[in-house]
Amino acid sequence: MNLSKELGFPEETKLLIIHADDAGLSHSENMATIQLLEYGIVNSYSIMVPCPWFYEMATFAKSNPHFDNGIHLTLTCEWENYRFGPVLPISEVPSLVDKNGYFYKKREDLKNNASIEDVKKELQAQIEKALKFGLNPTHIDSHMYSVGASPDFFKIYKDLGKKYDLPVFINKQFMEMVGLNPGQNIDERDLLIEKVHCGNFEDFNTGKLGDYYTGIFDNLIDGLNIILIHPAFDDNEMKGITVNHPNFGSKWRQIDFDSFISKEYKSKLKENNIELITWNDIKNIKRKV
């Protein structure tokens, strides 16, 4: 399927989704995401259902259905002092948590300890909680791409997309990043994100993260691209959450916010003949196929 043609664009069109991850993680994350949706060029976001600030962001999503939103399926919690766990009772999914009852920090620990059945139950429960709240998600994706921790988890992920008739974030770069073999886990009918653009720690550490984002718009490839950002404010809440974790920490997230609230990027879309699309556009196309 050529997505550009299906959407009514020339085949060589550069399609782009500008997506904010981690909504629901904190109040700071929510407020930054909402501002970018309303005033910037971010046109998509996904919500972490197990997090304490899910309710606030879900209320916004329900009241603002015109903004594209998905479910950020969550099986890990990487923070040092800010911990959360499954939406299901721990007794129902005991293999998903550490000795203190929280999600594991690392994908490797998840892979080594989680049962297939517990992963399936918890991921489905997260989707069901969002639906029961009244949300109308446009897609599913994955926090830390933890669904790629094993082929079995990845199959559950894709099967849930089919069950709930939702597009699923699948990308070879991310699969390789988490050690999943794309050739063995991608079917010919899977919709792939051709190119994912996400900041890296080297650029952040050298003060060049903003420059990296600016350069993306001049180097998009034909087909479907996505820019993944994690906006929040460098405030006390986010400093506390990301303590001793500069990678995607509070300063990084402030740069994400500052970059994508900029009017400069709007002009770059026009200059480079880039078409912004949403996961909802993709969902509607898949339903026609």
Side-chain angles (χ1 to χ4, degrees), residues 1-13 15 223 285:
M1 178 179 68
N2 185 283
L3 190 59
S4 295
K5 291 178 66 176
E6 292 288 343
L7 290 170
F9 301 117
E11 190 169 342
E12 67 279 4
T13 301
L15 305 176
I285 288 294

Side-chain angles (χ1 to χ4, degrees), residues 128-195:
E128 287 293 334
K129 180 175 178 177
L131 295 176
K132 288 176 181 176
F133 196 92
L135 301 188
N136 184 25
T138 55
H139 71 285
I140 54 176
D141 52 36
S142 171
H143 183 57
M144 295 174 59
Y145 219 55
S146 295
V147 294
S150 84
D152 291 325
F153 299 169
F154 197 71
K155 183 178 185 305
I156 292 168
Y157 175 57
K158 293 206 297 182
D159 286 347
L160 287 172
K162 294 175 184 176
K163 178 175 181 176
Y164 290 98
D165 193 22
L166 293 171
V168 175
F169 180 104
I170 301 177
N171 171 256
K172 290 181 180 179
Q173 293 167 251
F174 269 45
M175 295 173 74
E176 291 168 350
M177 176 190 74
V178 299
L180 198 64
N181 187 321
Q184 295 176 359
N185 293 280
I186 294 177
D187 301 322
E188 60 180 22
R189 290 181 61 84
D190 288 338
L191 175 73
L192 298 181
I193 307 290
E194 273 91 4
K195 180 68 175 178

Side-chain angles (χ1 to χ4, degrees), residues 16 18 40-41 209-217 227 229 255-272 274 276:
L16 177 63
I18 304 176
I41 58 172
L209 186 57
D211 294 336
Y212 165 76
Y213 290 137
T214 301
I216 290 174
F217 297 93
I227 301 174
I229 63 171
I255 295 170
D256 284 5
F257 174 82
D258 293 341
S259 296
F260 285 86
I261 203 73
S262 168
K263 293 181 179 179
E264 174 191 359
Y265 288 178
K266 289 185 179 181
S267 62
K268 280 192 166 289
L269 295 174
K270 293 182 180 179
E271 289 172 12
N272 291 282
I274 298 167
L276 284 182

Side-chain angles (χ1 to χ4, degrees), residues 219-278:
N219 296 285
L220 290 185
I221 63 172
D222 296 349
L224 182 55
N225 300 261
I226 188 166
I227 301 174
L228 291 182
I229 63 171
H230 302 77
F233 301 118
D234 186 23
D235 56 17
N236 286 337
E237 182 189 25
M238 286 308 299
K239 287 176 181 177
I241 288 173
T242 63
V243 64
N244 297 330
H245 201 298
N247 196 26
F248 296 105
S250 61
K251 290 184 178 179
W252 180 314
R253 290 171 191 248
Q254 181 73 60
I255 295 170
D256 284 5
F257 174 82
D258 293 341
S259 296
F260 285 86
I261 203 73
S262 168
K263 293 181 179 179
E264 174 191 359
Y265 288 178
K266 289 185 179 181
S267 62
K268 280 192 166 289
L269 295 174
K270 293 182 180 179
E271 289 172 12
N272 291 282
N273 196 28
I274 298 167
E275 295 287 349
L276 284 182
I277 68 165
T278 66

Side-chain angles (χ1 to χ4, degrees), residues 63-117:
S63 301
N64 295 272
H66 53 290
F67 289 128
D68 192 74
N69 69 88
I71 300 172
H72 202 46
L73 294 173
T74 303
L75 293 169
T76 48
C77 176
E78 67 270 43
W79 311 115
E80 185 171 315
N81 294 329
Y82 178 68
R83 313 292 294 138
F84 48 81
V87 300
L88 288 175
I90 292 172
S91 60
E92 293 188 26
V93 286
S95 69
L96 301 187
V97 299
D98 61 19
K99 63 181 181 180
N100 295 311
Y102 300 112
F103 283 138
Y104 299 108
K105 289 185 178 182
K106 299 179 180 179
R107 285 184 297 268
E108 193 66 23
D109 291 333
L110 175 72
K111 177 182 178 179
N112 292 337
N113 290 282
S115 72
I116 297 171
E117 184 59 30

